[in-house]
Amino acid sequence: MTGTANAEPILVVEKLRKTYGQRVALKDISLSIFPGEFVVLLGPNGAGKTTLFNLITALFNPDAGRVLVNGYDTTRNPVAALASLGVVFQQQTLDLDLTVTQNLMFHAALQGMSRRMAKARIQEEAKRLGMQDRLKEQVRKLNGGHRRRVELMRALLHHPRFLLLDEPTAGLDIASRRLLHDHVRQLCRQEGVTVLWATHLLEEVNGVDRVLVLHKGSIVCEGTPEDMIRQTGAADLHEAFARLTPEGEEA
Ligand code: ATP
């Protein structure tokens, strides 16, 4: 689904800068994402994808610039900004010793959800992701694909309008990767959930997606895969990506 030009953006990033000591991880980047869009944040290792996610989710503050989620500034009004967000982080963040349900109930409680509502939502999401039989299992006993599904269920419990996923298929086998990818695309297409999907994998880009290519802290290209190919004069998407993200001295 494509965002409409008239709609208010669900995410606005304005001249965002983040440094770690001498290293500039994000160099004054700006972007907007509109309701219902599926946007791919495409960048090689070290591009700054996780740093951008950490700023959008208010895990830390920018050195300059600002982030608005659903119109709320993440620094000044983080609670309101984060209310419409669901996040799947790159690193696994489940408690391995708890069961699937215990992990999800704990998160639902943090969201202020009643136990009754939480149980109902867990059942709903488990059914949609084929996880009903796993709810009582300790997370430690689940394979990587099932753990990721639990993280996606957790991100969706409060019906977020905007879903952020940071390299969510990393380390998964092809079947698990496809299931997760297809499920999120379906959420976007059928339920209008806005998605920002970070990856370095070109096979996760669809022809109609809006792609933001991030390289060494800057957005070096923004458009469809076709735009990427045209702008670089490349023969295909792989060549376009390689031209946009040359190896070289760290910035
Ligand atoms: P990856 O796919 O490898 O996770 P990424 O695109 O998510 O990469 P970031 O993790 O945001 O990129 O890193 C951007 C840059 O900032 C990199 O050069 C990285 O080495 C550096 N960096 C990230 N976190 C820190 C930190 N805590 N301290 C110092 N440098 C950092």
Side-chain angles (χ1 to χ4, degrees), residues 24-51:
V24 189
L26 289 179
K27 299 175 183 168
D28 307 313
I29 66 166
S30 297
L31 60 100
S32 296
I33 294 181
F34 292 87
E37 280 195 296
F38 190 106
V39 177
V40 178
L41 181 68
L42 184 66
N45 288 338
K49 304 181 297 294
T50 299
T51 300

Side-chain angles (χ1 to χ4, degrees), residues 195-210:
V195 176
L196 180 59
W197 178 287
T199 186
H200 63 274
L201 301 171
L202 289 172
E203 60 260 36
E204 294 183 351
V205 178
N206 273 6
V208 295
D209 290 338
R210 186 151 71 91

Side-chain angles (χ1 to χ4, degrees), residues 1 38 40 125 128-130 145 148-149 152 156 163 165 168-169 172-193 195 197 203-206 209:
M1 192 186 287
F38 190 106
V40 178
E125 291 302 331
R128 291 189 339 158
L129 277 159
R148 270 298 187 210
R149 288 191 221 177
L152 182 57
L156 293 170
L163 193 55
L165 305 103
T169 63
L172 303 187
D173 63 27
I174 290 177
S176 297
R177 191 172 272 191
R178 191 166 297 145
L179 184 142
L180 195 80
H181 192 216
D182 290 351
H183 188 74
V184 173
R185 289 219 173 249
Q186 195 178 337
L187 287 172
C188 178
R189 208 171 43 244
Q190 295 185 352
E191 297 173 30
V193 175
V195 176
W197 178 287
E203 60 260 36
E204 294 183 351
V205 178
N206 273 6
D209 290 338

